[in-house]
Amino acid sequence: MTSTYARFDTVFLFSRFAGAKYSPFSPSPSPSPSPTLLSSGIQLRTKPASRLQSIVALSSSSGAVVAGTDSIEIKSLPTKPIEGQKTGTSGLRKKVKVFMGENYLPNWIQALFNSLPLEDYKNATLVLGGDGRYFNKEASQIIIKIAAGNGVGKILVGKEGILSTPAVSAVIRKRKANGGFIMSASHNPGGPEYDWGIKFNYSSGQPAPESITDKIYGNTLSISEIKVAEIPDIDLSQVGITKYGNFSVEVIDPVSDYLELMEDVFDFDLIRGLLSRSDFGFMFDAMHAVTGAYAKPIFVDNLGAKPDSISNGVPLEDFGHGHPDPNLTYAKDLVDVMYRDDGPNFGAASDGDGDRNMVLGNKFFVTPSDSVAIIAANAQETIPYFRDGPKGLARSMPTSGALDRVAEKLKLPFFEVPTGWKFFGNLMDAGKLSICGEESFGTGSDHIREKDGIWAVLAWLSILAHRNKDTKPGEKLVSVADVVKEYWATYGRNFFSRYDYEECESEGANKMIEYLREIVSKSKAGESYGSYVLQFADDFSYTDPVDGSVASKQGVRFVFTDGSRIIFRLSGTGSAGATVRIYIEQFEPDVSKHDVDAQIALKPLIDLALYVSKLKDFTGREKPTVIT
């Protein structure tokens, strides 16, 4: 039976409310609850004082029925291409109001299905989840209905739409799904005025390769219809299965599959022994983001940490008005606690979607570059998953060379890749890579195909638990600082810092990069840059050793004869303007100099980077937004 409009209490606005101002928390401008016919032929039904949800109600004139069963009807919704839907290194990210615009999200989702081989989704299982930010629940309903409209067989969705990015990868792999949608803008702020994002991961749990994201973008430029199943909204608040014809939605517990995997990777008994010690203090800051859903079940319920060791542990749509980026600037609450005289022994934070991490000891910050190197150096001895040793190590190009030295000592294959976790996935699938990391607080291994914040925290707890397993009560515990300084004494210290200049005017930022590329094109080895002698300068290019694909223009590098590096990149993870990132690195083998503050040790290089780039002239910025 074809009805004039689907029986939904509330609907998400696909088309423009002609002349009306739309607010997701306000009632319809019209006092009448009756359906409103929009210019596209879509009928909108709203409920006063309700938050608009779900998908459009399709009128009989808005599109033809293209498929149907006794209990599910699929219609074709006419649409037009929308500019600006090209994905970056981590999917498509924009301000949430952009995604709530006319057909913006539906167009991208349909373009994705138009880009995939039929066998990748027809009658297949796909996973859906996100970080709990504003608009995720509404977007979940949109994605489910378009997936059903395109012939997907089953959707596995986290309860309340919640699944961390690592958990999505884990669920895809465990349940042999064909792929999955991740609703997140990662570490970017959430809320009605802030950011939202979407990306697609493939069947091994890894982010879709550029070959697919390029096709998606191409299809957004020619899209003409959206296939939508006319089914009610799914109740995401209860675990269970809902079926409509040959299509089903299973709402799953967001934690269980991921927790089971962590129990396989780590020695929980070993970690439990550390966290239950009365002389060991632990704090985890979930930053009111998705790991709040995982922290209590894992750290408290399974590993014995005290309930009050979890800070900001309730996921909120706006992250408690915070910026869920685990660094020294935005995780200030945790930093303040960890730098007290009586602060905990170990502290950590994770970001919006749970794939990044920051590790701290008492009055001691571990750089992400050092963190991945230290995990790799200790993995075989402390983590059961690596009992046979890692297969290989890799880092993103801007990340410091600390991991290189571990690979050399352990005689392991080593890879330097562009920024973007998808570049690690091919190496993992080919059996060439086990542990990898990025300086942007991303660390992970081949247990899944995403970086993994909680995994990194458990890895560090494993190292500390192993080092302290024979330490008796009353004896001094081996600390985070002890582990790091022992590593420096063995491998040397790579002083490293990153300067972020967020939301710069794109025009000036791009001109600065072009200026630097011009310098690189004329540079010669042996040239002097102050007291530094140039070894080479280039714009980093990467040829994938597995499939031969080439990624070019991945960052302007100045590498000097003493191993020091200056790197300039524009970040692709923001939703507005451009973020200029400058990376500064200098290797120091002398143990007597390892305790020097990084900003002091790197000041000559920092000054050189600002001078060479003319950053102030191009961007007008006097100071960075964030220093890491």
Side-chain angles (χ1 to χ4, degrees), residues 507-587:
E507 182 180 0
N510 283 309
K511 284 183 178 180
M512 187 192 83
I513 294 297
E514 289 305 317
Y515 169 73
L516 288 167
R517 285 176 177 150
E518 185 178 350
I519 293 176
V520 164
S521 68
K522 299 174 182 178
S523 66
K524 295 180 180 179
E527 290 179 338
S528 294
Y529 283 71
S531 60
Y532 298 92
V533 178
L534 187 69
Q535 181 177 342
F536 70 87
D538 67 1
D539 197 348
F540 181 62
S541 179
Y542 173 73
T543 301
D544 192 301
V546 178
D547 62 17
S549 61
V550 177
S552 57
K553 295 185 176 181
Q554 296 296 310
V556 176
R557 300 188 293 180
F558 293 82
V559 180
F560 302 102
T561 53
D562 66 348
S564 300
R565 298 191 305 164
I566 300 172
I567 298 162
F568 302 89
R569 282 185 65 249
L570 297 185
S571 171
T573 60
S575 65
T579 295
V580 176
R581 289 188 170 144
I582 304 177
Y583 310 82
I584 307 100
E585 176 186 5
Q586 180 171 296
F587 178 66

Side-chain angles (χ1 to χ4, degrees), residues 324-444:
D325 193 352
N327 59 44
L328 296 172
T329 299
Y330 295 125
K332 188 176 183 300
D333 290 350
L334 175 66
V335 173
D336 288 346
V337 171
M338 293 304 300
Y339 275 78
R340 293 193 322 230
D341 289 339
D342 62 345
N345 302 75
F346 179 85
S350 189
D351 72 328
D353 64 329
D355 64 353
R356 301 184 188 220
N357 73 96
M358 178 174 67
V359 170
L360 297 164
N362 183 240
K363 297 185 178 180
F364 196 91
F365 167 66
V366 184
T367 71
S369 297
D370 279 347
S371 181
V372 65
I374 291 166
I375 291 172
N378 289 275
Q380 186 171 7
E381 187 179 23
T382 63
I383 302 172
Y385 184 81
F386 301 111
R387 61 173 56 91
D388 296 327
K391 301 166 189 172
L393 307 178
R395 62 167 173 82
S396 65
M397 181 273 288
T399 303
S400 90
L403 191 63
D404 313 34
R405 300 179 187 281
V406 175
E408 182 180 5
K409 182 171 182 178
L410 298 182
K411 296 180 170 56
L412 292 173
F414 173 77
F415 305 91
E416 182 182 41
V417 307
T419 296
W421 209 259
K422 58 190 173 187
F423 295 104
F424 295 126
N426 269 5
L427 297 169
M428 291 177 178
D429 289 343
K432 297 177 179 290
L433 174 62
S434 291
I435 298 174
C436 51
E438 297 179 332
E439 49 68 39
S440 52
F441 294 88
T443 322

Side-chain angles (χ1 to χ4, degrees), residues 274 277-280 345 467-479 482:
L274 177 69
R277 291 183 66 121
S278 60
D279 56 350
F280 185 83
N345 302 75
R467 294 293 182 89
N468 287 292
K469 63 181 179 180
D470 297 323
T471 305
K472 296 179 176 58
E475 295 180 347
K476 183 181 181 299
L477 290 168
V478 176
S479 68
D482 293 333

